[in-house]
Amino acid sequence: MALSDHFDLSLLLRKDEVGLEWLGREYTFGEIDTRSNRLARLLLQRGLTSGDRLCVYLANRIEMIDLYLACIKTGVIFVPINILYREREITHIIADAEPKALVATGGAWDPEDLTRESEGLDASRPHCTLDGDSPAAIVYTSGTTGVSKGAILTHNNFAANAINIVTCWQITSADRFLLPLPLFHVHALGNGLHCWLTAGCRMRLLERFEHQRAAAEFLDFQPTLFFGVPTIYVRLLDIAQETAKQMGEKMRLFVSGSAPLPAHVLEEFRSLYGHVILERYGMTETLMNMSNPYAGERRAGTVGLPLPGVSARIEAGEVYLKGPNVFPGYWRNPAATEAAFSDGWFKTGDIATCSPDGYFTLQGRRSDLIISGGFNIYPREIEELLLEQPGVGEVAVAAQPDRLKGEVPVAYIVAKGRLNIEQIEQVCRSQLASFKVPRAFVTVDALPRTALGKVQKHLLPKPATKRS
Ligand code: MLC
Ligand code: AMP
């Protein structure tokens, strides 16, 4: 079944119910359906056909939802780009995905212009037959080789994921769902948007999470369901006891994922809000894999148990996965796809242990991936940019623990001439997403290396700590 048939449970059967709140306006599921039908017709009119890619470089907004639905209604492959990415990062994705067009605010395909133009078009859904193995999206992950790879996610991947978590977390049309996460990543796209349209609940979409406005948003909307990353939960610990208690009153379920949730945050959150955060584990390539149980024990520091239909095993410390949620491969990259699988099992790169009663605990990564505020950073990408700068001889970028962001990147540089750190930092700011800009630049005489020449990042000196 294609996703649009699946979403008809809400788009058609609940067409008169309010489905979305965006910027203070309410939209029924019927309106969401017709907006995207019209936009689908516009995409076809502008020459896109099934299998073409459409890159979308937008922060959260209703047009992002319209565009996703228009894509799945026409077979066009949706390629979201992190809005924090800068030219260098965007150029790579566009060269790799070869889209027919790029939607960006103020660009040739501006989202508001598209909506305006589509308003005059036929509101009925265009005909399109797709099977479940058709790609619905290509989502770029930070690449271990310095450039990002496009993970192909099929209609079946998204459907399996949504049905699983709607069932496991008992999400129903009675829920009120507050979504602050960016739709350009799978946490909000694969879980948030798909669960919302599967369950047919009311969703208030925020442009982004702003900690100064969080309490007001909760008290006004009175959600029952909330998805966040650990940085958001750390921010929520700053809210006064009485307000936090009120915010927790109508809530049914707080979910955390995308980075480790420190056990003390779970504990402090429980005493402040009266809720035990449910932690789960997912990846761009696999959508959701594991979750703490909704009904059973939510064990701090663990990511719970494999979801129904997901097989997990630990091979030399690493989590291997199989299931209907696992992607078929990387876009136009058979070598990377082959390297990612072993006998049909996806090699996650995550190191874990499993308790006798089946709870998995993630303990680290095979690669030196840094996760900052729930955004992934591969040091290699920053190292390559730094090596292009005058005076930089050798470089290593490593994670430094951070109370709010979990981890932040720090650059260690061996000079081969005169170094202008201010200028280097400026280059990073202009060419990298802000979360990738090293928090500190430390000059060292030499990088600690193994006999084989591999940098031993754990032996790098700790920089003086700065506030986040
Ligand atoms: C942050 N910024 C955004 C943004 N999030 N801009 C637009 N849209 C967003 N969603 C910008 C800010 O404007 C600012 O820009 C800079 O980033 C730093 O923001 P901050 O104010 O310091 O951030 P903070 O209040 O600490 O909160 C950050 C955050 C954000 C937690 C809200 O990091 C976030 O939304 N993270 C979620 C990432 C996510 O969804 N990951 C899922 C990956 S999928 P400037 O220019 O002023 O610096 C995955 C698989 C899975 O991992 O599901 O498990
Ligand atoms: P991404 O490539 O953005 O999809 O990020 C996926 C990675 O995020 C996983 O491989 C994990 O390393 C990490 N991750 C996701 N959820 C959790 C979690 N609950 N705890 C720790 N790490 C997580």
Side-chain angles (χ1 to χ4, degrees), residues 218-467:
F218 265 86
L219 296 177
D220 180 58
F221 182 57
Q222 308 213 330
T224 59
L225 180 66
F226 182 81
F227 291 176
V229 296
T231 300
I232 289 179
Y233 289 107
V234 174
R235 287 276 194 207
L236 291 177
L237 293 181
D238 290 340
I239 286 176
Q241 173 105 51
E242 209 28 58
T243 313
K245 200 163 148 261
Q246 263 180 297
M247 286 164 68
E249 259 163 23
K250 292 274 174 18
M251 276 295 296
R252 183 176 70 76
L253 180 63
F254 287 97
V255 180
S256 176
S258 302
L261 182 73
H264 72 90
V265 176
L266 183 119
E267 205 32 60
E268 284 171 45
F269 195 88
R270 193 191 55 76
S271 67
L272 206 53
Y273 288 81
H275 287 268
V276 180
I277 300 169
L278 182 148
E279 183 169 6
R280 92 305 178 276
Y281 160 46
M283 289 185 82
T284 302
E285 290 91 337
T286 63
L287 303 171
M288 267 336 78
N289 303 312
M290 301 189 192
S291 170
N292 270 281
Y294 181 67
E297 183 198 354
R298 300 180 194 169
R299 199 174 293 169
T302 79
V303 292
L305 312 144
L307 286 162
V310 178
S311 306
R313 66 170 212 238
I314 296 179
E315 194 73 28
E318 182 178 353
V319 181
Y320 280 30
L321 295 165
K322 237 185 203 175
N325 53 314
V326 175
F327 79 138
Y330 294 106
W331 173 251
R332 290 182 178 166
N333 197 338
T337 303
E338 202 189 325
F341 287 90
S342 166
D343 274 342
W345 291 81
F346 175 64
K347 302 189 275 184
T348 61
D350 288 314
I351 306 296
T353 55
C354 183
S355 70
D357 58 349
Y359 281 70
F360 282 72
T361 300
L362 298 186
Q363 293 185 316
R365 303 259 327 163
R366 272 217 180 290
S367 67
D368 50 5
L369 171 75
I370 300 169
I371 305 183
S372 193
F375 289 121
N376 286 6
I377 305 167
Y378 274 98
R380 175 86 179 264
E381 185 187 354
I382 306 170
E383 289 164 2
E384 282 175 9
L385 176 64
L386 293 174
L387 282 171
E388 291 167 17
Q389 308 313 312
V392 176
E394 290 175 61
V395 68
V397 170
Q400 186 196 325
D402 183 82
R403 184 191 73 85
L404 181 62
K405 299 286 164 92
E407 295 176 331
V408 290
V410 169
Y412 296 84
I413 301 176
V414 180
K416 68 169 181 200
R418 212 183 74 78
L419 269 184
N420 184 338
I421 296 290
E422 245 171 59
Q423 197 182 325
I424 292 177
E425 183 169 359
Q426 197 42 48
V427 170
C428 290
R429 286 202 183 287
S430 64
Q431 298 204 34
L432 297 171
S434 55
F435 59 88
K436 296 183 192 169
V437 176
R439 185 67 64 88
F441 294 83
V442 182
T443 46
V444 289
D445 294 335
L447 297 174
R449 289 185 186 273
T450 63
L452 292 175
K454 189 173 166 4
V455 177
Q456 295 170 295
K457 292 196 173 174
H458 60 285
L459 296 181
L460 288 162
K462 300 271 164 291
T465 31
K466 273 204 224 164
R467 289 198 55 220

Side-chain angles (χ1 to χ4, degrees), residues 156-204:
N156 277 347
N157 291 147
F158 280 119
N161 184 63
I163 293 166
N164 233 352
I165 59 183
V166 162
T167 311
C168 290
W169 300 344
Q170 294 208 338
I171 303 173
T172 70
S173 58
D175 272 308
R176 295 173 64 85
F177 177 30
L178 183 61
L179 183 63
L181 294 171
L183 286 165
F184 49 73
H185 276 324
V186 300
H187 194 152
L189 182 72
N191 291 6
L193 188 136
H194 287 75
C195 284
W196 161 57
L197 290 171
T198 300
C201 59
R202 178 191 283 237
M203 173 172 84
R204 179 182 285 190

